[in-house]
Every structure is written in C-alpha cells, then in structure tokens.
Amino acid sequence: LLAENLMHPAITNSGFKAAQKLIAQLVAVRAQNPAALARGALLKAVLRSGDPALREATRKSVDGLTEAEVKRYYRSAFRPDMTTIVVVGDISPAAASRIVGRYFGGWRAGGAKPDILLPSGVRNAASVQSVPGDSKSLARVRLAELIPMVRSNPTYYALKLGNELLAGASSPGRFSADLKAAGLPVSSLSSSIVSGSSRTFYLIEYATDAADVQKVAGVIRRDILYLERRPPTEGAFVRA
C-alpha cells in the first residue's frame, strides 16, 4: 500500500477538485486568524525579503492551481532520492531490505533533484510587530531571533543547555523564578530552539496582561544577558 500510494498516487479529477475547494476555504479562514497573522508578521521581521518561508498560499493562488500542475509537482518532488524508508519491528535488516526492494525497486527519479535547503540564517534586526487579537487585556507574545547556526554545529548543545537553565522544563528556570519575584503574572511561558540544516530560531512565548508585555520582556532579556556574563551555579548546571 505504501509503495502504491507513493509511486502511483490516485490524483483523480474529482478528488483534486474536492481537495482544492477545501484547502481554498481553509486558506481564506487562516488569512483572518490572529495567530496566523502574527506568525506571518514574525517571519517577515526575522527573515530576509524573498526567503521561501515567506511564501503564503492565498485563496486566489489555490483556486488557480490545475490538476496537471499538481501532478507535475508531485513527479518532481516525490522521488526515491529524496525518500527515507524506516522499518521498525521484529525483522532483520536483510529481510527488510528484500521487502523494500521488491516493492520499491522499480521506482526511478526523473530530472534534476530539487534544492530544498533554505537560505542560511543572518541575524535579524530588532523590531516590534503588533497584530490585533480577540482580547484587549491579554496579550500573547513571541520573542524570536534568527541565529546563524546549523543543527550539526557542536554549539547547538551549549545553546540547548543554556535554554534549559533559563526556561527549565525539568527544573524551575530563571525566567519563571525572576518573573514570579517581580510579581509579573505570566502563563503559557515556553522557550524553544528550532534548528535545521541551514539555520536556527530561538523562540520565547508567553501570555500576560497587555500592560505588562514590556516588563516581562525586560526580565527575559536581563536573564539572557546575565547568563552570558555569569556562569550558572554548580547545582543549577547539574540539574539542567
């Protein structure tokens, strides 16, 4: 079934039309969604003009697609030299290889292999973007920075450790402790490192009273700078 789906997908005219209609409706709804608008504003703030990640589907672009274009794209992008098959279970590598070869052995790639690597990261300039939401008293905030570092860089692990010291999933981090000490109510506080083969994002997200947005951001910035200038205590380091 897996081989049949990948090598001979049933892209019928009726199925294409149904999917096109549904996706066009979803895209139109998303275009009015505050969370989607905020994500778009964030990407425009941290990425250079022309970056592929800035491309957004619109109802017009979805409605303009043809069945022939979708099939042509499928043939160019869904190909064996861009596919990884993972087999898990009570089976030997040799047996798994024989089965995969039996069903996928005739799959061939045609044409040049697509370039799917995103542009390398360049540090973004500081900016503030605001998107109106449903609540006037509560604000959801994302602090983001594009770091010119790839996932395979050994520094990635130091960054992960530093993030654990600050945001602490396994132990109370500095962010939570200092925000509590400052009397700043924050919910949904999270910090993550999204890293790939060409660039890395550092993201901090939280929700707080609209009047406290800058105060919370100030505490977070101060904590990051503090970690840069002073090493953590041995106990905090061991816990992280």
Side-chain angles (χ1 to χ4, degrees), residues 50-130:
D51 192 284
L54 294 176
R55 297 173 189 163
E56 287 284 348
T58 64
R59 180 151 200 167
K60 183 179 179 180
S61 68
V62 174
D63 284 338
L65 285 172
T66 66
E67 183 182 340
E69 287 174 326
V70 171
K71 288 182 176 179
R72 186 164 58 249
Y73 172 77
Y74 189 91
R75 287 193 298 270
S76 70
F78 287 73
R79 39 195 291 151
D81 53 352
M82 296 181 66
T83 300
T84 301
I85 297 176
V86 179
V87 181
V88 179
D90 185 12
I91 186 171
S92 70
S97 181
R98 283 196 303 271
I99 295 170
V100 170
R102 183 190 312 163
Y103 293 102
F104 289 91
W107 196 15
R108 297 289 182 267
K113 185 177 179 180
D115 179 13
I116 61 171
L117 193 64
L118 291 167
S120 60
V122 176
R123 289 190 182 276
N124 54 285
S127 66
V128 177
Q129 307 288 331
S130 276

Side-chain angles (χ1 to χ4, degrees), residues 35-224:
L37 293 172
R39 179 182 178 277
L42 183 145
L43 288 176
K44 288 178 182 177
V46 299
L47 298 176
R48 290 176 292 182
S49 176
D51 192 284
L54 294 176
R55 297 173 189 163
E56 287 284 348
T58 64
R59 180 151 200 167
K60 183 179 179 180
S61 68
V62 174
D63 284 338
L65 285 172
T66 66
E67 183 182 340
E69 287 174 326
V70 171
K71 288 182 176 179
R72 186 164 58 249
Y73 172 77
Y74 189 91
R75 287 193 298 270
S76 70
F78 287 73
R79 39 195 291 151
D81 53 352
M82 296 181 66
T83 300
T84 301
I85 297 176
V86 179
V87 181
V88 179
D90 185 12
I91 186 171
S92 70
S97 181
R98 283 196 303 271
I99 295 170
V100 170
R102 183 190 312 163
Y103 293 102
F104 289 91
W107 196 15
R108 297 289 182 267
K113 185 177 179 180
D115 179 13
I116 61 171
L117 193 64
L118 291 167
S120 60
V122 176
R123 289 190 182 276
N124 54 285
S127 66
V128 177
Q129 307 288 331
S130 276
V131 176
D134 300 326
S135 173
K136 293 183 179 180
S137 60
L138 183 68
R140 298 191 63 84
V141 182
R142 282 181 178 173
L143 306 177
E145 183 170 355
L146 183 59
I147 304 172
M149 183 188 76
V150 297
R151 174 67 178 80
S152 57
N153 190 318
T155 307
Y156 170 82
Y157 298 99
L159 190 62
K160 289 281 285 186
L161 182 58
N163 184 56
E164 180 66 25
L165 288 161
L166 291 170
S170 57
S171 61
R174 182 177 289 275
F175 287 159
S176 295
D178 288 353
L179 288 169
K180 183 177 180 180
L184 293 169
V186 172
S187 62
S188 305
L189 176 64
S190 66
S191 177
S192 58
I193 299 163
V194 183
S195 191
S197 54
S198 59
R199 58 194 184 191
T200 295
F201 289 94
Y202 182 43
L203 297 169
I204 300 170
E205 302 181 64
Y206 61 89
T208 189
D209 293 339
D212 292 334
V213 166
Q214 292 304 325
K215 294 177 185 176
V216 173
V219 171
I220 288 173
R221 291 192 189 97
R222 185 191 69 196
D223 284 349
I224 293 173

